């Protein structure tokens, strides 16, 4: 993982996670796919984690699939990572899907800071973040149709809560490129900023100062919205509230607010 992705823990439990294959615009070769899986699993097991900021070094967030991966001989149904596309190697996801879907499975919020380009699988990794902050000039495209493929890095499961159905179909069918400003208007992005990473870090600091158990519960609730019934969501709201109400962290949030001081939460 060390030559593809870096993880730096900052104050307050903020993980600064960066794609560092800058010379290739963070394109996804087999080593990068493996590094994404390793990074996600490392973060899942990390104690004291409050929020993740995901970005790319160099000129791009992620240029998508390394085109060299499209060549070479391999069996039909085999991914560029070498595994079977039909094999559920990571829970409900196959290997490439987990490179995006795994960020959604992290128990803490993920903020993507996106610049340069986010093409193909890069746009789908971006979609996995809870919050997506993009530079206005970022070039984005659901690129797979250009190569005669369909998007299959969990984007379909992620975009359905973000983008209108007809807009998504147009972008998939045409692989049209759009910029960060349009991404915000269409729902692919949350915020537009001239300095996405700085804005992401500011937002991460705000989230890191909240009750970590309430934040994790809120993310679990948000992750239910696409599939759960009204009854399931209402019950889950109650279940999550019971887990946090009148706990030391919840009382600390109240006291810190009343005393106008920084809270001191326990993990």
């Amino acid at each position: 993982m060390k030559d593809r992705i870096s993880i730096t823990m900052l104050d307050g439990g903020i993980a600064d996670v960066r794609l560092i294959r800058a010379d290739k615009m963070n394109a996804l070769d087999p080593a990068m796919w493996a590094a994404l899986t390793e990074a996600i699993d490392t973060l899942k097991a990390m104690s004291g984690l409050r929020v993740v900021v995901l970005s790319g070094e160099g000129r791009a967030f992620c240029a998508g699939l390394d085109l060299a991966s499209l060549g070479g001989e391999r069996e039909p149904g085999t991914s560029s990572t070498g595994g079977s596309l039909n094999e559920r190697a990571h829970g409900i996801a196959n290997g490439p899907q987990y490179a995006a879907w795994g960020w959604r499975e992290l128990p803490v919020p993920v903020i993507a800071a996106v610049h340069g380009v986010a093409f193909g699988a890069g746009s789908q990794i971006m979609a996995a973040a809870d919050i997506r902050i993009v530079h206005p000039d970022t070039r984005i495209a659901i690129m797979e149709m250009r190569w005669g493929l369909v998007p299959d890095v969990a984007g379909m499961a992620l975009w359905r809560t973000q983008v209108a159905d007809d807009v998504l179909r147009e972008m998939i069918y045409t692989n049209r490129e759009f910029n960060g400003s349009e991404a915000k208007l269409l729902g692919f992005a949350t915020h537009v900023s001239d300095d996405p990473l700085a804005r992401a870090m500011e937002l991460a600091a705000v989230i890191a100062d909240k009750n970590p158990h309430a934040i994790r519960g809120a993310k679990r609730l948000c992750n239910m919205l696409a599939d759960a019934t009204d009854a399931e969501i209402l019950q889950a709201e109650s279940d999550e509230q019971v887990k946090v109400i009148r706990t030391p962290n919840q009382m600390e949030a109240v006291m810190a607010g009343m005393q106008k001081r920084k809270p001191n939460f326990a993990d």
Side-chain angles (χ1 to χ4, degrees):
M1 183 176 75
K2 292 181 179 179
D3 63 344
R4 291 292 188 272
I5 295 178
S6 67
I7 300 176
T8 304
M9 289 305 300
L10 307 177
D11 291 342
I14 299 171
D16 180 0
V17 182
R18 303 193 186 196
L19 282 62
I20 57 173
R21 196 186 182 208
D23 60 319
K24 297 295 185 180
M25 299 179 72
N26 297 313
L28 298 162
D29 64 348
M32 182 66 92
W33 289 112
L36 285 164
T37 293
E38 184 179 347
I40 291 164
D41 289 342
T42 297
L43 292 163
K44 281 184 175 181
M46 191 175 289
S47 62
L49 183 65
R50 300 288 177 83
V51 60
V52 172
V53 174
L54 178 63
S55 64
E57 290 196 348
R59 296 180 293 129
F61 175 71
C62 177
L65 185 65
D66 189 324
L67 295 183
S69 300
L70 291 174
E73 296 292 331
R74 62 173 184 259
E75 292 294 321
T78 301
S79 77
S80 59
T81 66
S84 168
L85 291 173
N86 281 325
E87 181 185 0
R88 303 297 95 181
H90 302 275
I92 63 173
N94 64 27
Q97 288 169 337
Y98 188 68
W101 188 255
W103 302 102
R104 183 54 56 92
E105 289 185 346
L106 287 184
V108 302
V110 178
I111 305 171
V114 182
H115 75 291
V117 301
F119 287 161
S123 70
Q124 294 171 77
I125 293 169
M126 165 185 159
D130 297 78
I131 299 165
R132 300 163 302 283
I133 303 174
V134 302
H135 189 279
D137 296 329
T138 302
R139 299 165 58 203
I140 303 167
I142 304 173
M143 190 66 76
E144 284 78 4
M145 194 61 66
R146 179 176 180 181
W147 312 115
L149 301 169
V150 300
D152 69 335
V153 187
M156 303 303 294
L158 295 162
W159 288 316
R160 61 178 170 166
T161 60
Q162 301 169 12
V163 185
D165 178 79
D166 55 341
V167 171
L168 182 59
R169 290 169 188 255
E170 177 191 350
M171 296 308 182
I172 291 171
Y173 300 161
T174 65
N175 62 263
R176 177 172 74 81
E177 185 179 306
F178 51 100
N179 65 23
S181 296
E182 187 175 3
K184 170 65 168 65
L185 294 174
L186 296 176
F188 289 96
T190 314
H191 300 292
V192 176
S193 171
D194 288 333
D195 192 341
L197 184 56
R199 180 72 182 93
M201 287 296 179
E202 290 173 2
L203 189 55
V206 172
I207 294 171
D209 263 352
K210 307 300 183 186
N211 177 357
H213 297 146
I215 288 288
R216 289 176 178 229
K219 177 160 181 173
R220 287 190 292 267
L221 288 172
C222 288
N223 282 352
M224 293 179 64
L225 296 181
D227 301 308
T229 65
D230 292 343
E232 289 169 337
I233 292 172
L234 293 176
Q235 184 61 56
E237 285 182 349
S238 300
D239 293 342
E240 294 293 353
Q241 196 73 302
V242 167
K243 293 175 186 176
V244 296
I245 198 167
R246 303 294 299 177
T247 61
N249 274 352
Q250 192 261 319
M251 298 307 297
E252 171 63 9
V254 173
M255 294 305 297
M258 293 177 64
Q259 297 170 4
K260 301 186 187 319
R261 61 171 173 82
K262 184 178 177 68
N264 183 23
F265 295 118
D267 290 323

